[in-house]
Amino acid sequence: SASKIRRSKKIITAPKGNIAVASYTPQSSPASPFKRENATARVLKRLRSNLLGLMGEANLRYARNEKQDAINLCMEVIRQAPNYAEPFQALSMFYKDLGDYEKS
């Protein structure tokens, strides 16, 4: 005999002794369609190629233990593109590793 689990008018059967887990994620509409579109657009933002190069250089400097140079490079990227998260995240990580939790 099989155990039955009822979910949204579909019957799922599983052999006796196995546990069937029904995963249900309700599809609710967002509070505002504008907020939903805006959130999607934010994820797709990428730094320009020259600023990506500066971020790469900052990461390299940090790996080479040139921490202050890495922080200065991140600050320069933030000055040129203040609306991107990547330089802020890197700068936070740099300060956290240095033990400066207030600036982190």
Side-chain angles (χ1 to χ4, degrees):
S1 111
S3 63
K4 294 181 181 181
I5 299 173
R6 184 172 281 262
R7 187 182 95 195
S8 66
K9 297 185 181 182
K10 288 184 180 178
I11 297 175
I12 302 170
T13 60
K16 191 171 184 171
N18 289 346
I19 298 174
V21 178
S23 62
Y24 173 71
T25 54
Q27 298 296 325
S28 62
S29 61
S32 165
F34 176 74
K35 286 183 179 179
R36 184 68 170 164
E37 290 173 15
N38 196 12
T40 306
R42 240 180 279 136
V43 172
L44 300 176
K45 272 187 170 180
R46 295 287 303 165
L47 283 170
R48 295 185 309 257
S49 62
N50 63 333
L51 297 178
L52 276 175
L54 280 177
M55 284 305 303
E57 183 67 24
N59 286 321
L60 257 171
R61 297 279 175 101
Y62 192 78
R64 291 180 182 159
N65 212 19
E66 299 171 8
K67 306 208 187 294
Q68 193 56 51
D69 289 339
I71 289 171
N72 291 341
L73 284 168
C74 278
M75 295 297 265
E76 178 60 24
V77 174
I78 290 170
R79 188 186 69 74
Q80 291 185 30
N83 295 328
Y84 293 86
E86 187 177 348
F88 287 101
Q89 290 170 340
L91 191 60
S92 175
M93 182 184 67
F94 297 162
Y95 280 128
K96 184 179 171 187
D97 287 347
L98 288 173
D100 193 348
Y101 295 104
E102 190 172 315
K103 286 185 178 181
S104 171

